Amino acid sequence: MPPENNSLRPLENFSLVGLRNLKIKNRLVISCLISTIFPLIFICLYTGSLYGSSERTGQVLVLALLMIGVALTMTLYTYMSISQPIDHMIHTCQAISDGNLEMRIQDHANDELSYLSDNIDGMVTEIQLLLEQRQLDEAKKRDLELRMLQYQINPHFLFNTLNTLRLVAQMNQDKVVSEGICSLSELLKNTLLNDREFITIQEEIDNLKHYFSIQAIRYAGSFHVNYELEDGLSGYLLPKLILQPLAENSVLHGSYNDGTIMEIHVSCKRDGKDILLEIRDEGKGFDMNDKNTCPKGLGGIGNRNVNDRIHLYFSNDYGLNIVSRPGHGTCCTIRIPALDSDSEIQNMQGGTHVPGTDR
């Protein structure tokens, strides 16, 4: 390998780095001196020494001045065509960095600077959308937290009261009331004292069983619940309290209220990388296209809230789907990703998504 020529390094550093440290105007002055003024001086000296002060010397000098004038004009025009878009780009980027995300460069030319401007405008638009989406997510989270707080009361007072009532029911040999109070106590304990956002499917099913046990006291003999949980899914995680509103909808709006026992089917099964949770009743159903017959009092947190929470935690690929027909019952299906650890939940939520709502 030949030795490096260290003598050329200062010139290389000046040409590649030194000029970049100068402003464009200063670079233009240096370029004009090197490309026009110095050649003009050289022509004047050479022509004077060759022809003296003859007429031919004047003609050569005039021609040289015209050529240098044309060169200066073209240089100035080229400089303006580059410097003005760059100055506009700098001022716009400075305004964006100061927080004005509405600013755009909007260079409609067809060169490299226009391509760069379009990419900068696209990135600013994407940043603006992400910031707006983040604000919407934070607002929805605060709204959901406030809704959850509406259901909180002093748990110790509540559980002590319920235990006292359960003991009184046992003393009076009232088994139905005793079991109902026990289910209510367990349900409230799992919802009020458990502050985790995600619980296992088995815990959610247990909460659902407690809820149905309580409703069986109020709507005695009006419904019967069947459970079908696929093996190996009980330990997977899901957002807390997403099945109870659907169950409440079936009990309150699906029953015929004529003594007919309504069958309610609760199932959980694997579908590829997802999990499908389904609550299907064989009740009276409703016309989904008729807003007058569609039930509005959904109780609990509500179906819309359930769908919003799933979209907020994951993405629009998951959520709640409701199918109903008059006389054929209602089927509520929830699709969630199969996650069995908190780290998988964090990785799932790390992606960019846009929350949505159901109909």
Side-chain angles (χ1 to χ4, degrees):
M1 178 180 293
E4 294 183 358
N5 191 352
N6 295 328
S7 62
L8 298 178
R9 188 176 297 276
L11 180 60
E12 180 182 358
N13 292 337
F14 174 76
S15 61
L16 297 180
V17 180
L19 289 177
R20 292 298 304 274
N21 295 328
L22 299 176
K23 292 185 177 181
I24 297 179
K25 294 180 179 179
N26 297 331
R27 277 186 257 173
L28 177 64
V29 172
I30 294 176
S31 176
C32 289
L33 290 175
I34 295 175
S35 61
T36 59
I37 304 299
F38 289 161
L40 178 61
I41 295 175
F42 174 77
I43 291 174
C44 291
L45 295 176
Y46 179 77
T47 305
S49 64
L50 187 63
Y51 299 107
S53 59
S54 63
E55 183 179 353
R56 180 173 294 182
T57 300
Q59 293 176 352
V60 172
L61 292 178
V62 170
L63 181 61
L65 289 173
L66 290 175
M67 294 178 63
I68 290 174
V70 172
L72 286 175
T73 302
M74 294 301 297
T75 302
L76 181 61
Y77 176 78
T78 304
Y79 164 74
M80 295 296 293
S81 66
I82 296 176
S83 63
Q84 287 185 352
I86 292 179
D87 288 340
H88 178 61
M89 190 183 303
I90 292 174
H91 294 154
T92 304
C93 291
Q94 184 62 44
I96 293 172
S97 65
D98 292 337
N100 186 5
L101 296 180
E102 300 295 333
M103 292 289 294
R104 296 294 184 274
I105 301 175
Q106 294 182 344
D107 190 344
H108 301 293
N110 190 23
D111 57 4
E112 292 82 355
L113 291 176
S114 174
Y115 177 78
L116 179 60
S117 300
D118 291 341
N119 279 271
I120 294 176
D121 288 343
M123 287 188 293
V124 173
T125 301
E126 185 69 19
I127 292 173
Q128 186 178 23
L129 291 176
L130 290 175
L131 290 176
E132 292 176 355
Q133 190 58 57
R134 180 181 178 183
Q135 293 176 352
L136 290 176
D137 290 346
E138 293 296 329
K140 283 197 172 185
K141 285 183 179 180
R142 289 193 297 268
D143 181 62
L144 293 174
E145 290 172 356
L146 290 175
R147 294 190 185 187
M148 293 296 293
L149 288 175
Q150 293 176 357
Y151 297 94
Q152 291 186 357
I153 58 177
N154 190 318
H156 297 290
F157 169 78
L158 177 63
F159 296 137
N160 290 335
T161 303
L162 291 176
N163 287 330
T164 301
L165 294 175
R166 183 168 64 87
L167 291 175
V168 172
Q170 290 177 347
M171 292 173 59
N172 291 298
Q173 298 182 350
D174 195 333
K175 184 178 179 180
V176 175
V177 176
S178 176
E179 292 178 352
I181 294 177
C182 182
S183 295
L184 177 60
S185 178
E186 290 297 324
L187 179 62
L188 293 177
K189 185 184 298 183
N190 292 332
T191 55
L192 293 180
L193 298 184
N194 185 356
D195 58 355
R196 291 179 298 161
E197 294 185 36
F198 286 79
I199 61 176
T200 64
I201 292 178
Q202 186 60 57
E203 290 175 321
E204 183 73 3
I205 294 296
D206 290 340
N207 289 337
L208 197 62
K209 290 180 179 179
H210 291 312
Y211 173 78
F212 279 126
S213 177
I214 296 170
Q215 292 289 47
I217 299 177
R218 180 180 179 184
Y219 303 95
S222 63
F223 63 88
H224 179 263
V225 186
N226 304 283
Y227 297 93
E228 182 181 353
L229 178 61
E230 188 174 301
D231 294 337
L233 297 182
S234 60
Y236 283 85
L237 300 176
L238 79 170
K240 182 172 61 176
L241 292 177
I242 63 172
L243 293 182
Q244 180 179 326
L246 310 182
E248 189 169 1
N249 185 36
S250 294
V251 174
L252 296 181
H253 305 288
S255 177
Y256 285 100
N257 299 321
D258 59 356
T260 303
I261 298 177
M262 178 181 62
E263 293 291 334
I264 300 177
H265 303 273
V266 179
S267 66
C268 176
K269 60 184 179 180
R270 188 72 178 260
D271 183 22
K273 296 183 179 181
D274 300 334
I275 292 179
L276 296 181
L277 299 162
E278 183 179 280
I279 295 183
R280 176 173 55 87
D281 64 69
E282 299 177 3
K284 58 186 179 180
F286 59 91
D287 186 356
M288 300 182 62
N289 296 321
D290 189 353
K291 295 183 179 181
N292 295 324
T293 61
C294 180
K296 301 183 182 301
L298 298 178
I301 299 178
N303 288 4
R304 181 178 297 276
N305 185 262
V306 170
N307 200 45
D308 283 345
R309 289 175 62 202
I310 295 174
H311 285 162
L312 188 62
Y313 288 131
F314 307 118
S315 70
N316 280 345
D317 296 331
Y318 306 97
L320 170 64
N321 182 54
I322 301 176
V323 177
S324 182
R325 285 193 302 164
H328 292 80
T330 302
C331 181
C332 301
T333 304
I334 293 178
R335 178 180 291 273
I336 59 174
L339 305 173
D340 59 358
S341 65
D342 292 335
S343 60
E344 289 187 359
I345 294 175
Q346 293 176 358
N347 292 335
M348 188 72 184
Q349 294 176 343
T352 303
H353 64 272
V354 180
T357 58
D358 60 349
R359 59 182 181 85

